[in-house]
Amino acid sequence: MKLAPCLAGCVLTLLGTLWMPRAHAAETAQPQGWRDGAALAELVDTNPDPRIVEVTLDAREAEVTIGPGQRVRAWTYNGTVPGPLIRARVGDRLIVHFTNHLDTNTTVHWHGVRVPNAMDGVPEHTQPAVANGRGFTYDFELPDAGLFWYHPHVLSAAQVGFGLYGALLVEDPNDQVQVTDEAVLVLSDMSVDDGVLESPTSGGDLAATFGREGTRVLVNGRTDATFTVRDGAPQRWRVVNAAKSRYFLLDLEGEPFLLLGGDGGLQERAERRDSLVIAPGERLDVIVAPRRPVDGAPVVLRSGLFDRGFGSTEFRRVEELLTLRFAPTAAYAAPLPSPPGRRIEPLDLTGATQVRLDLTFSNADGLNRYGVNGVAFAEDLMLTAHVGETQVWTVTNQTKWSHPFHLHGFFFQVLDAAGAPVRPLAWKDTVDVPFGQTVRLAVRFDNRPGMWMYHCHILDHADLGLMGMLAVRPRD
Ligand code: C2O
Ligand code: CU
């Protein structure tokens, strides 16, 4: 009884394979529904103008399923974790009608997007916090292609940890990458105990000093994320780390990653990597083309142990993120594509203003505090810049834990030990500053004056003081 449909299915699959014209574009195609085991909800554009994406977003509590039999009442955008994917093209205008149905204030920050200051979602500085039952319309252009993401900027460690984050994919129809099978992977974690979210303050100051990692690791909101893929066929993954503290050390059982770019879109040229680290807030753009092992077993994307300071490898385990099962289709034989990359100019650093930022830790009166140049929340330490100015920031991590350093509103180039931009050139908005090390970055302030934030994207660290403000002033 059960044999017949299976046989019929296999014969059909076989026929399909035989009939597929060779060297036709469809030959690279992944099987129908290949991403269904880790699907992302997507927002519907309600605006008929092809250059405007207009969507409705709300924040609310909802019960979500994160795995087989694992339901949890989370904080969500539009009822899902992650929130729905927003898809647009570079140059589009994005209009988001946002409503807050949470019992507490919130905002939406558009991580990495070069928005006008008033659209940056930072309460007290760029907009009033959105109270329960109130709304705010975010309306801005998308000047850069790449994967961006959105999350609250009110009590971020708690709100992001509870499930409030989503991806914004800005596509460039002319990017020449030529891999049509694409997936967005939102990596995150959640602290769940018996179907209930753990308190964001569990473990007290000590846990915050390390940065709380969730007990369940999620890919697109699932503990059991699965793709069904064709042996050897290329897939393009856009990956964002939306976890509030966890770094991911990605490994695909030795299958190579072709790294195309990251935070600010494509980098100068692609690079082959055997593993990849993605810190909280960062993005990756990669091509993978895993081969089916001889025994036909799935290939698993794992996160290995990454040392971001004491406690990060000692009490942790390797996590399984995404299972790639192989469809019974013939193997795809072509080599990995080699996309051409993108022209990026190194920033001209002659006459650049030098700025020193020491990331510090203190324990006065038994309170653990992170700070910038010894000052928690960098109060009275406002950085300033002028429109058109280029600055070099020397960020030294004097603490025992690594900090993914994030600047709002502007991309930067990371500099090497000799002070030259690191090759291949790339635009970034978040960079890991490993414990005990120094990272230098160069940033040029384009014409978007206002109050911009910088902070550690381990959100517990930001809450313990690792944040500050930068005033970008108009040219006089
Ligand atoms: Cu994702 Cu203030 O940042
Ligand atoms: Cu930090």
Side-chain angles (χ1 to χ4, degrees):
M1 287 263 286
K2 273 184 183 155
L3 199 62
C6 165
L7 255 183
C10 293
V11 168
L12 279 181
T13 312
L14 191 66
L15 286 178
T17 316
L18 292 175
W19 284 341
M20 203 169 297
R22 289 212 65 79
H24 185 268
E27 201 193 356
T28 68
Q30 300 292 349
Q32 269 263 299
W34 67 286
R35 300 174 305 184
D36 288 358
L40 274 182
E42 227 173 280
L43 274 185
V44 181
D45 173 12
T46 58
N47 194 306
D49 186 326
R51 302 317 311 270
I52 302 178
V53 173
E54 187 162 2
V55 296
T56 307
L57 192 70
D58 68 28
R60 65 172 109 122
E61 283 190 47
E63 194 167 79
V64 297
T65 300
I66 58 171
Q70 302 175 63
R71 295 187 66 76
V72 55
R73 197 165 174 82
W75 291 23
T76 74
Y77 288 116
N78 292 17
T80 64
V81 174
L85 172 67
I86 303 175
R87 200 186 277 275
R89 283 179 311 165
V90 64
D92 282 356
R93 175 175 164 201
L94 175 64
I95 305 172
V96 180
H97 302 283
F98 173 71
T99 312
N100 179 15
H101 296 302
L102 302 169
D103 286 337
T104 183
N105 289 353
T106 193
T107 58
V108 187
H109 167 60
W110 304 91
H111 183 123
V113 183
R114 291 191 295 148
V115 292
N117 192 250
M119 295 291 127
D120 200 42
V122 177
E124 316 316 326
H125 290 287
T126 72
Q127 69 167 96
V130 184
N132 170 279
R134 309 299 288 269
F136 190 90
T137 297
Y138 295 92
D139 184 345
F140 49 86
E141 258 156 47
L142 299 164
D144 304 287
L147 182 68
F148 303 92
W149 63 297
Y150 58 94
H151 64 76
H153 231 289
V154 176
L155 298 173
S156 311
Q159 297 196 2
V160 170
F162 286 167
L164 289 171
Y165 41 82
L168 162 61
L169 178 60
V170 183
E171 295 176 297
D172 175 1
N174 305 316
D175 78 1
Q176 309 287 313
V177 175
Q178 292 184 337
V179 174
T180 42
D181 290 310
E182 288 198 354
V184 171
L185 301 182
V186 180
L187 312 182
S188 67
D189 60 10
M190 201 176 245
S191 270
V192 189
D193 194 14
D194 254 341
V196 176
L197 291 170
E198 264 176 21
S199 158
T201 56
S202 71
D205 245 23
L206 213 60
T209 304
F210 175 64
R212 298 174 182 90
E213 298 185 357
T215 53
R216 303 283 192 289
V217 172
L218 307 176
V219 174
N220 293 355
R222 303 283 308 187
T223 57
D224 61 346
T226 306
F227 284 166
T228 304
V229 302
R230 179 172 174 193
D231 179 5
Q235 318 161 37
R236 183 179 184 184
W237 292 350
R238 321 282 196 121
V239 189
V240 51
N241 182 354
K244 64 176 180 174
S245 302
R246 184 186 293 269
Y247 287 52
F248 294 88
L249 168 53
L250 302 178
D251 167 281
L252 194 55
E253 299 188 11
E255 291 284 340
F257 299 93
L258 186 67
L259 178 64
L260 305 178
D263 301 351
L266 296 179
Q267 60 190 39
E268 196 176 24
R269 62 182 145 76
E271 298 169 277
R272 196 191 139 118
R273 297 280 189 85
D274 291 324
S275 64
L276 289 165
V277 176
I278 181 168
E282 284 188 307
R283 282 89 69 211
L284 295 172
D285 187 348
V286 294
I287 296 175
V288 296
R291 313 293 326 211
R292 179 178 180 272
V294 269
D295 62 0
V299 166
V300 179
L301 176 72
R302 292 191 174 83
S303 181
L305 300 178
F306 179 74
D307 187 8
R308 64 173 181 89
F310 178 74
S312 44
T313 56
E314 291 82 353
F315 316 111
R316 310 281 144 175
R317 54 160 197 250
V318 173
E319 301 280 355
E320 301 206 341
L321 303 180
L322 172 68
T323 301
L324 304 175
R325 286 186 210 295
F326 291 92
T329 22
Y332 176 76
L336 267 188
S338 49
R342 162 189 178 202
R343 200 178 159 72
I344 298 179
E345 293 297 332
L347 284 172
D348 180 1
L349 303 180
T350 37
T353 313
Q354 302 291 323
V355 177
R356 248 193 87 161
L357 295 179
D358 291 343
L359 311 182
T360 53
F361 179 78
S362 67
N363 177 288
D365 312 319
L367 276 182
N368 286 357
R369 284 282 173 269
Y370 284 110
V372 179
N373 297 354
V375 189
F377 304 101
E379 284 148 354
D380 319 317
L381 186 98
M382 197 173 59
L383 302 179
T384 56
H386 284 89
V387 166
E389 184 181 350
T390 299
Q391 297 193 342
V392 171
W393 291 14
T394 300
V395 186
T396 298
N397 183 348
Q398 299 179 346
T399 79
K400 293 198 173 81
W401 286 277
S402 299
H403 303 293
F405 185 86
H406 171 49
L407 171 64
H408 283 210
F410 302 89
F411 291 123
F412 50 77
Q413 292 179 353
V414 177
L415 307 182
D416 63 20
V422 170
R423 309 305 280 249
L425 295 169
W427 291 109
K428 289 187 64 61
D429 55 59
T430 307
V431 63
D432 184 38
V433 186
F435 54 91
Q437 293 190 33
T438 294
V439 169
R440 288 201 293 167
L441 50 96
V443 52
R444 188 183 167 277
F445 297 99
D446 60 29
N447 193 10
R448 285 168 305 116
M451 294 294 289
W452 299 97
M453 211 175 179
Y454 61 89
H455 59 90
C456 176
H457 225 289
I458 291 182
L459 299 169
D460 282 323
H461 292 180
D463 285 358
L464 280 191
L466 223 176
M467 54 163 76
M469 298 303 297
L470 161 76
V472 177
R473 307 201 197 285
R475 230 195 289 256
D476 347 273

